[in-house]
Amino acid sequence: MDTKELERIANQIRIDIIEMTYEAQSGHPGGSLSAADILTVLYFKEMNVDPDNPRWEDRDRLVMSKGHATPVWYAALAEKGFIPREEIKTFRKINSRLQGHPNMNDTPGVDMTTGSLGQGLSTANGMAIAGKLNNKDYRVYAVLGDGECQEGQIWEAAMSAAHYKLDNLTAILDHNGLQIDGPNKDIMNIEPIEDKWRAFGWHTIRIDGHNIEQIIDAIEEAKTIKGKPTIIIADTIKGKGVSFMENQVGWHGTAPNKEQMEKAIAELKERGERIG
Amino acid sequence: MDKIATRDAYGKTLLELGSQNKDIVVLDADLSKSTKTNEFAKAYPDRFFDMGISEQDMIGTAAGLATCGKIPFASSFAVFATGRAYDQVRDSICYPNLNVKIAATHAGLTVGEDGATHQALEDISLMRGLPNMTVIVPADATSATKLIKLAAEYKGPVYIRLGRPSVPVIYQDTQEFQIGKGIRLKEGRDISIIATGIMVSKAIEAADMLQKEGITAEVIDIHTIKPIDKELIIDTARRTGRVITCEEHNIYGGLGSAVCEVLSENYPARVKRIGVKDTFGESGTPDELLKKYGLTSEEIVKAAREML
Ligand SMILES: Cc1ncc(C[n+]2csc(CCOP(=O)(O)OP(=O)(O)O)c2C)c(N)n1
Ligand SMILES: [Mg+2]
């Protein structure tokens, strides 16, 4: 799949994020939009998964450690064929398989339950250890938030992944600079974040998290690193793709109203046309 | 009577399970000498993971292993396995209903000299409140061995509460166990003593003492606090009309509470709870502590006399 096609898919995922959060009148558009390019590359270029057999033993696995980013995950899963397209309209509604935060037993393609921040990386480590024990060559991906890195458990898990030399694990940090109460640097500074991961024994790669080619290259590079885990620090823009949502703390967990939804979708459609 | 610690039974049982099933993996958080997982570590180093002093990460890692078909046993002291890592047990294990066994040792006052920070008196309560969780509290080494094997066969989260000191062996090897089914150890007409963990042997002693006064007591071992054996509890209350519960745990939220829930909804009967009365423990020898906090056969006898 070429870069243009991936960009097109990422744009469609962004449209779905807006529609889902509008339809649900709740959910997290900001941190979903920032991760749209990352998830697009994972699902449409890198990850070895089978929508007809979501629990296939040899599949690559994804843990959305920043579990609130369900809109981007469900949109990618729908696009990939794990769930019917119409179903994304049920997001966050009663009796839906698409819970507000991901639950592995509800949604095909969801490999781990998350929502309480800080827990996902440990579970990804467990999957990576199991891969080594079982002589499987699948890879495990964990998507982390930057605010999430304030959780102590992230650093427990960072230490374990390096200690157990989990080179079949790639973490991707959605480094959008914002959390709920404001910018990371004002709430609880996490910088220098790359130095921290390196000091914990990880191979680090820094990229523009909205550049499809850089995302692909980084994921490919991670596969070649032996004896240690890799983290891709993806500099991103929270709310990316919708002008009035970009870099706005307020769009972390707020749904658009009708007017905002229409404006956002019109912008994204225009963006899609520019991609061609 | 032989005395063996339930944690020793755990260490031996892990070895046996490890030889039979290569999917059994064991995790510890820098307490493997105390939890007795070190024997497994020696025998199966590739399947043992010391996570260092990071209980939250240990629980999460166990959850991830379970998603890939492993059967992880994660061990630490009861206080840390359930308290420090509560949110991880809740969201990474119980909500997704993953096949992780949390085998926690050093539960209760009988930790002894380490004192209150190390004496879990609320772990049953914490674990019992989690959907999908099974809660097992063996009374002796024999039942610990059998119940740990059953837990390994059972698919789903299990909390197994184990102790530090040697405790009397009360069961023969031929005794059969079933998760969720209590055991009537002694029949009686006057009063029912429902106990769990190390208090089962004290309940037997108390029943013998009462017998000398002409009082016959039923003794029941509720080794599975959840799912609890409602039928047996209702049945014994029907026979005697008076119930004493005994546990090495806070009187809030543990066996006593669980028995009261069953009886008040199904067969209201008088219940007296013996347990730690909503206080923290302290340093001392296990026996001194049990005496000071009222967890003795004498206290059970006293409670029985008061109720009759
Ligand atoms: C343990 C825990 N504490 C608090 C929350 C509430 N919460 C949800 S999202 C969020 C901010 C996350 O910020 P970040 O990790 O930077 O995510 P992103 O910016 O990518 O959305 C918080 C505090 C939570 N889900 N889990
Ligand atoms: Mg952020």
Side-chain angles (χ1 to χ4, degrees):
Chain A
M1 199 171 283
D2 65 11
T3 308
K4 209 168 215 180
E5 187 56 27
L6 290 168
E7 279 172 359
R8 242 179 256 128
I9 293 172
N11 203 60
Q12 181 56 47
I13 285 176
R14 288 194 161 92
I15 291 172
D16 292 341
I17 291 168
I18 298 301
E19 284 187 341
M20 285 164 82
T21 48
Y22 169 70
E23 194 68 43
Q25 276 306 295
S26 73
H28 298 79
S32 290
L33 291 166
S34 65
D37 302 299
I38 295 163
L39 261 79
T40 299
V41 172
L42 283 172
Y43 276 99
F44 295 91
K45 180 81 182 169
E46 295 291 349
M47 280 174 44
N48 195 12
V49 292
D50 179 3
D52 294 325
N53 187 7
R55 293 264 167 113
W56 174 39
E57 277 189 19
D58 295 334
R59 73 188 185 282
D60 290 338
R61 285 149 170 88
L62 174 66
V63 177
M64 181 66 80
S65 198
K66 42 170 269 186
H68 55 282
T70 36
V72 67
W73 202 3
Y74 296 156
L77 290 173
E79 198 70 27
K80 189 81 183 173
F82 280 95
I83 44 181
R85 272 212 76 75
E86 323 75 77
E87 195 172 339
I88 64 174
K89 294 242 157 76
T90 69
F91 174 53
R92 284 181 168 251
K93 292 192 175 149
I94 193 81
N95 298 328
S96 173
R97 297 196 297 174
L98 308 182
Q99 291 295 297
H101 292 80
N103 185 19
M104 60 182 284
N105 294 327
D106 281 322
T107 316
V110 166
D111 294 317
M112 186 62 210
T113 300
T114 52
S116 177
L117 290 167
Q119 298 195 20
L121 188 56
S122 300
T123 63
N125 287 349
M127 295 174 190
I129 293 172
K132 288 191 179 274
L133 286 174
N134 293 337
N135 288 316
K136 302 260 186 202
D137 56 10
Y138 63 73
R139 292 194 68 80
V140 183
Y141 295 93
V143 177
L144 314 182
D146 46 11
E148 187 186 14
C149 289
Q150 293 155 358
E151 282 285 359
Q153 191 187 352
I154 290 290
W155 301 102
E156 295 183 359
M159 228 183 273
S160 307
H163 182 83
Y164 285 108
K165 303 185 168 54
L166 302 181
D167 49 17
N168 52 350
L169 170 79
T170 303
I172 304 175
L173 179 61
D174 183 359
H175 192 14
N176 56 32
L178 302 181
Q179 51 196 101
I180 293 186
D181 282 350
N184 308 148
K185 67 173 171 27
D186 297 343
I187 304 305
M188 181 53 63
N189 188 30
I190 64 165
E191 303 299 339
I193 192 69
E194 199 178 341
D195 293 348
K196 287 190 174 76
W197 285 97
R198 204 177 296 123
F200 273 75
W202 288 57
H203 177 67
T204 65
I205 307 172
R206 186 125 198 179
I207 60 163
D208 169 356
H210 299 304
N211 183 313
I212 298 283
E213 274 161 13
Q214 287 188 28
I215 300 170
I216 296 171
D217 289 348
I219 292 174
E220 287 300 321
E221 180 182 327
K223 292 183 193 166
T224 67
I225 304 298
K226 297 296 164 205
K228 51 161 83 171
T230 293
I231 184 160
I232 299 166
I233 297 170
D235 291 317
T236 55
I237 294 169
K238 203 156 173 170
K240 172 75 178 179
V242 178
S243 61
F244 58 92
M245 290 187 177
E246 288 191 1
N247 269 322
Q248 298 300 312
V249 163
W251 285 104
H252 170 83
T254 311
N257 62 27
K258 189 154 194 292
E259 192 189 325
Q260 291 162 331
M261 179 272 288
E262 284 167 353
K263 185 156 180 275
I265 296 217
E267 272 188 26
L268 287 165
K269 288 204 162 137
E270 236 180 79
R271 202 167 170 265
E273 277 160 26
R274 280 201 306 277
I275 296 165
Chain B
M1 223 187 266
D2 270 357
K3 283 180 109 186
I4 307 174
T6 50
R7 63 176 167 142
D8 284 317
Y10 172 52
K12 291 215 170 64
T13 308
L14 272 185
L15 273 183
E16 198 182 326
L17 288 170
S19 74
Q20 292 159 354
N21 186 345
K22 70 170 180 32
D23 282 331
I24 302 267
V25 296
V26 177
L27 299 90
D28 205 298
D30 201 31
L31 286 168
S32 69
K33 286 193 193 76
S34 303
T35 62
K36 302 296 175 189
T37 62
N38 61 342
E39 297 175 33
F40 184 96
K42 251 180 264 148
Y44 307 103
D46 297 345
R47 286 190 268 145
F48 175 78
F49 300 92
D50 204 319
M51 303 309 294
I53 312 157
S54 63
E55 296 75 18
Q56 303 174 17
D57 184 44
M58 173 178 75
I59 292 296
T61 306
L65 282 157
T67 68
C68 301
K70 296 294 170 194
I71 307 171
F73 277 75
S75 288
S76 178
F77 290 174
V79 132
F80 310 132
T82 65
R84 185 56 164 264
Y86 176 76
D87 192 39
Q88 287 73 15
V89 175
R90 180 183 190 276
D91 285 5
S92 287
I93 292 178
C94 287
Y95 179 33
N97 201 13
L98 289 170
N99 196 21
V100 175
K101 318 303 164 189
I102 301 170
T105 65
H106 294 61
L109 288 174
T110 52
V111 166
E113 295 78 354
D114 273 347
T117 55
H118 285 53
Q119 294 162 345
L121 295 172
E122 61 291 308
D123 53 316
I124 295 175
S125 168
L126 283 171
M127 294 298 102
R128 191 167 79 89
L130 290 172
N132 292 332
M133 184 62 104
T134 291
V135 179
I136 292 177
V137 186
D140 73 344
T142 310
S143 56
T145 302
K146 299 225 172 186
L147 288 162
I148 290 162
K149 287 182 187 169
L150 290 173
E153 283 166 27
Y154 170 87
K155 228 175 140 84
V158 181
Y159 176 63
I160 305 158
R161 186 188 212 235
L162 304 166
R164 173 177 178 243
S166 297
V167 290
V169 174
I170 53 183
Y171 287 110
Q172 311 269 317
D173 287 337
T174 48
Q175 176 74 43
E176 286 188 21
F177 290 86
Q178 215 182 318
I179 292 173
K181 284 266 163 273
I183 293 172
R184 195 188 319 260
L185 282 160
K186 203 169 178 308
E187 299 204 11
R189 288 177 312 273
D190 302 318
I191 195 156
S192 302
I193 309 174
I194 302 180
T196 195
I198 63 159
M199 293 307 289
V200 175
S201 68
K202 312 248 179 242
I204 297 170
E205 275 171 33
D208 290 343
M209 287 153 78
L210 287 166
Q211 187 109 40
K212 291 189 187 119
E213 301 176 18
I215 300 166
T216 68
E218 294 230 321
V219 176
I220 290 183
D221 174 9
I222 293 292
H223 53 72
T224 309
I225 308 266
K226 185 186 171 186
I228 200 157
D229 191 343
K230 284 187 192 160
E231 275 156 42
L232 183 59
I233 291 168
I234 295 166
D235 185 65
T236 193
R238 275 217 176 91
R239 288 175 185 226
T240 66
R242 299 176 194 90
V243 172
I244 298 175
T245 62
C246 312
E247 62 196 308
E248 190 195 7
H249 186 274
N250 196 337
I251 50 166
Y252 297 139
L255 172 74
S257 297
V259 167
C260 287
E261 287 159 18
V262 170
L263 291 179
S264 57
E265 285 192 341
N266 296 286
Y267 188 81
R270 252 201 93 199
V271 178
K272 219 174 161 66
R273 289 167 301 157
I274 289 182
V276 177
K277 295 179 182 63
D278 200 29
T279 63
F280 287 101
E282 64 183 77
S283 294
T285 67
D287 283 338
E288 286 167 343
L289 288 162
L290 292 176
K291 190 155 182 235
K292 178 162 177 179
Y293 289 84
L295 303 183
T296 58
S297 44
E298 288 79 15
E299 286 294 326
I300 302 172
V301 168
K302 215 162 89 192
R305 281 198 205 113
E306 277 166 27
M307 286 179 92
L308 283 159

